[in-house]
Amino acid sequence: MPNPQFDRNKEARVDRFWTWRNYKICYRAAGLERVSDAPAVVLIHGFGASVGHWHKNMPALAGVSRVFAIDLIGFGASEKPHPSQSPYTFETWGMQVADFVREVVGSPAILIGNSIGAVVAMQTAILAPELVTKTILINCSLRLLQEQKQITLPWSRRVGAKVMQNILGNRAIAKFFFDLVRRPQTVRKILKQAYVRDEAVTDELVEMLVKPAQDPNAVAVFMAFVRYSQGPTPEELLEKLPCSAIVLWGEKDPWEPIELGREFTKFACVSDFIPIANAGHCPQDEAPELVNPILIAAIQN
């Protein structure tokens, strides 16, 4: 008799493809055979990541609902068109996820996002409220380089950020910098800043981030995003979010401090704020034994 947990693990690692606006988009799915009253779930990764960042969560969540993970256009195994063909903005990604829910999932869904994926989840809910029943935001990007937020930074940091963005607007310089960043040893060092548990920084995790970065168009995506100072702040989205939001936050996130994340609780749509002990920027991958039960309870309630 087959082991259902083993089957779900295997199912959650199979790449599938969907065509969106003539671009090939990668996604994964699990629990498709399940008939449940719980809404379907769509998982949205952060900057530079992909569907593989959810491999510790999908089998568990598939025990209670249909679960999908999607590679945003420009990331993972999805196509990476030049920014002149497809701008890399939260509006673009929000429309992509909305169409994915409509065409592939086929019913309203709970959106779970990590980092910029949390911003995308909220943008999707605002663009297509009929398709999103709830959002779960994991270490949501605070978008500190967004133009409105840069005004609040000290003068030296504000000028430094603009200078760096302008420098990275030069393709030769940006490619030189990106070539350094996408080296496995550099990726490992960055991950060890973002993660508290060294054992969670595995060769598989490094490969998941390094492989898509080798795409010839990856540098153009990188340039577009690091210079993207427009678009919404998470606070602006929370102000008009048409559904509830549950916020999870790794207590030791060095990039998005939990003290700033706690300020989200002032918004009416935030129904709960849950700190994740001994975890950094990606607690769903670093501490799945803590995060999965929270997500399962949120899906079922």
Side-chain angles (χ1 to χ4, degrees):
M1 182 175 179
N3 182 325
Q5 182 64 38
F6 174 81
D7 289 346
R8 289 200 294 267
N9 281 328
K10 185 176 180 181
E11 179 187 29
R13 288 178 176 268
V14 176
D15 286 349
R16 302 165 183 253
F17 292 92
W18 163 66
T19 300
W20 181 68
R21 299 186 178 181
N22 295 320
Y23 296 115
K24 188 167 71 172
I25 302 298
C26 179
Y27 72 96
R28 291 180 181 176
L32 298 184
E33 79 294 342
R34 179 166 296 281
V35 177
S36 170
D37 292 334
V41 176
V42 177
L43 307 170
I44 309 168
H45 61 79
F47 178 70
S50 65
V51 292
H53 217 184
W54 300 100
H55 78 277
K56 297 177 184 177
N57 315 108
M58 290 187 70
L61 303 187
V64 296
S65 185
R66 295 182 299 135
V67 184
F68 301 81
I70 186 171
D71 279 346
L72 298 174
I73 189 168
F75 296 107
S78 287
E79 284 198 64
K80 301 167 183 60
H82 190 273
S84 62
Q85 299 173 304
S86 179
Y88 294 105
T89 66
F90 290 110
E91 289 78 8
T92 298
W93 291 318
M95 288 185 283
Q96 177 195 345
V97 174
D99 286 342
F100 180 79
V101 174
R102 187 180 293 110
E103 297 176 16
V104 178
V105 179
S107 63
I110 295 172
L111 303 187
I112 303 176
N114 173 226
S115 191
I116 69 163
V119 181
V120 174
M122 290 191 286
Q123 181 69 76
T124 304
I126 290 167
L127 289 172
E130 75 281 4
L131 296 176
V132 182
T133 64
K134 182 187 299 182
T135 59
I136 302 177
L137 318 177
I138 304 176
N139 289 65
C140 181
S141 170
L142 297 170
R143 299 216 62 210
L144 295 178
L145 291 181
Q146 199 265 2
E147 56 189 1
Q148 295 176 41
K149 289 198 171 184
Q150 284 193 36
I151 296 173
T152 67
L153 295 175
W155 179 85
S156 58
R157 287 187 62 189
R158 186 166 69 247
V159 172
K162 278 296 181 188
V163 168
M164 180 57 70
Q165 287 180 315
N166 288 335
I167 288 173
L168 292 177
N170 180 292
R171 182 175 175 82
I173 295 174
K175 186 178 185 307
F176 174 78
F177 182 77
F178 188 60
D179 285 344
L180 295 176
V181 169
R182 63 182 168 183
R183 291 177 180 175
Q185 58 268 38
T186 306
V187 170
R188 190 176 296 274
K189 287 180 181 178
I190 293 171
L191 286 168
K192 287 194 173 184
Q193 293 175 2
Y195 281 58
V196 176
R197 306 178 187 181
D198 282 349
E199 69 274 14
V201 182
T202 62
D203 291 343
E204 181 182 11
L205 178 61
V206 172
E207 174 66 12
M208 185 268 291
L209 294 168
V210 169
K211 185 176 179 181
Q214 307 312 310
D215 187 288
N217 291 333
V219 65
V221 177
F222 170 77
M223 289 175 64
F225 191 76
V226 297
R227 302 183 73 235
Y228 177 40
S229 297
Q230 296 75 44
T233 65
E235 291 85 356
E236 289 172 335
L237 296 174
L238 286 165
E239 187 67 46
K240 51 188 177 183
L241 193 67
C243 60
S244 66
I246 297 172
V247 181
L248 280 61
W249 217 283
E251 289 185 334
K252 297 184 179 180
D253 188 339
W255 297 341
E256 314 285 359
I258 191 170
E259 292 77 15
L260 297 180
R262 287 186 191 277
E263 294 181 11
F264 287 5
T265 57
K266 69 183 181 183
F267 293 96
C269 64
V270 176
S271 61
D272 205 356
F273 185 96
I274 306 172
I276 307 298
N278 197 36
H281 188 60
C282 308
Q284 81 280 3
D285 184 60
E286 187 173 14
E289 77 285 357
L290 300 179
V291 172
N292 286 342
I294 296 170
L295 298 181
I296 289 170
I299 293 167
Q300 292 180 315
N301 294 328

